Amino acid sequence: MVDLELLTTPQILGSQNRNLFTVRYFIDQASADINRGAISLPYQMETAQQTLMARIYNSNNPDCFETVRFDITLFEQPISNPVPNLEVCDDNFDGIATFDLNNQTSIILGSQSATSFNVSYHLSQNDADLNTAPLPLSYTNTTPFNETVFIRIENDLQESCSDTSQSFELIINPKPIANDFAAFQCDEDGVPDGRTVFSLMSFDDSISGSAAGVSLSYFFNQTNADNNSNELNNTSYTNIAPLQNIIARVTDDTTGCFNTSIVT
């Protein structure tokens, strides 16, 4: 349905007084000339493109009139599908990270063609509405830890056919504290070999700063800690050398973000 009264009449009238002139719409020139068979508004288009006639006449004297031919084209209205927030773990406690916004594009489009519709990303609703200041697809947030991104999807052939109703959050989850810790224990098993049994979990509070909502685990090296593989027994671990380093991993139970530290 096309509201010609809203879209076309103001263009036809221009600066002329709406109270003095009337505009009616017709399928063909003959109907417009005799002022018969005006189409009903809003107008239901039968094809994607049609030619119509407009008749503008003096409301006090319908015989004083002009007609104008115009084309009307129907463009497909895009729909912005909702997307999840983008979340990453902070890497250096500054709340800043680089995001690939293009990861959202296929979700926003859904079944709509990527060749028919363009998706852009903006820092404000106004920018999205006006199609100004689009963000680069590889975007680094400027507001630490949380920033809202506004979406615009538009028809490539007619940018006024757009949807700016959706937005999502860029979330940079802080990584937990992981303090380095020096563990010392006397070799009291009667064998003077510099090896003894440690309860690694007794180091938890010192390493995490007694933080709530975190879990600690211990690993032989940094690679294992990063990959969360081959975890050491945290209740009974025997060191393999008098002076040995192991890696503690502190993981946020909610976000899964982690940090590591050295236990000597």
Side-chain angles (χ1 to χ4, degrees):
M1 302 292 282
V2 181
D3 191 344
L4 297 175
E5 183 67 27
L6 176 65
L7 297 176
T8 310
T9 298
Q11 298 180 58
I12 293 172
L13 284 173
S15 60
Q16 300 172 96
N17 192 332
R18 291 180 65 96
N19 295 323
L20 296 179
F21 298 94
T22 300
V23 179
R24 302 182 77 191
Y25 297 95
F26 302 84
I27 294 296
D28 52 43
Q29 181 70 59
S31 299
D33 288 341
I34 64 175
N35 198 19
R36 296 286 178 86
I39 62 178
S40 300
L41 301 180
Y43 177 57
Q44 177 66 56
M45 292 185 63
E46 298 177 356
T47 61
Q49 186 170 24
Q50 285 186 252
T51 298
L52 298 178
M53 298 298 302
R55 175 189 174 109
I56 177 173
Y57 59 89
N58 188 303
S59 299
N60 296 316
N61 186 355
D63 291 333
C64 295
F65 72 93
E66 290 285 348
T67 61
V68 61
R69 181 188 304 271
F70 65 95
D71 293 326
I72 182 168
T73 303
L74 185 64
F75 295 95
E76 187 177 354
Q77 171 65 33
I79 297 173
S80 185
N81 292 297
V83 293
N85 297 327
L86 292 181
E87 294 191 47
V88 298
C89 295
D90 196 6
D91 58 356
N92 58 2
F93 298 101
D94 64 354
I96 302 297
T98 299
F99 294 84
D100 185 358
L101 301 181
N102 199 41
N103 288 335
Q104 303 285 65
T105 301
S106 62
I107 305 174
I108 295 165
L109 285 168
S111 60
Q112 299 168 109
S113 171
T115 60
S116 299
F117 300 98
N118 180 61
V119 177
S120 57
Y121 303 92
H122 306 262
L123 279 183
S124 70
Q125 184 67 61
N126 189 60
D127 283 349
D129 291 341
L130 299 179
N131 196 21
T132 58
L135 298 176
L137 294 179
S138 179
Y139 173 66
T140 301
N141 61 301
T142 57
T143 302
F145 296 105
N146 192 284
E147 192 166 272
T148 302
V149 173
F150 297 85
I151 302 165
R152 177 186 178 91
I153 178 173
E154 66 181 28
N155 189 303
D156 280 346
L157 299 177
Q158 179 54 261
E159 68 175 30
S160 64
C161 295
S162 63
D163 184 353
T164 60
S165 62
Q166 298 294 329
S167 64
F168 61 93
E169 301 296 317
L170 302 179
I171 300 172
I172 301 88
N173 292 308
K175 62 180 181 180
I177 293 172
N179 299 310
D180 291 338
F181 181 70
F184 174 81
Q185 189 165 289
C186 295
D187 184 356
E188 298 177 339
D189 60 2
V191 180
D193 57 0
R195 301 173 65 224
T196 187
V197 177
F198 289 86
S199 175
L200 300 180
M201 65 185 301
S202 66
F203 310 151
D204 287 2
D205 286 345
S206 296
I207 294 170
S208 68
S210 300
V214 297
S215 298
L216 279 85
S217 48
Y218 298 87
F219 300 86
F220 185 73
N221 55 41
Q222 187 67 52
T223 300
N224 287 351
D226 291 341
N227 294 328
N228 198 24
S229 62
N230 300 315
E231 180 180 348
L232 300 177
N233 187 328
N234 68 346
T235 60
S236 179
Y237 173 71
T238 302
N239 59 306
I240 60 174
L243 296 176
Q244 179 189 350
N245 292 340
I246 62 172
I247 306 299
R249 173 182 169 125
V250 184
T251 304
D252 187 296
D253 295 334
T254 300
T255 65
C257 296
F258 72 92
N259 197 6
T260 62
S261 64
I262 299 175
V263 180
T264 58

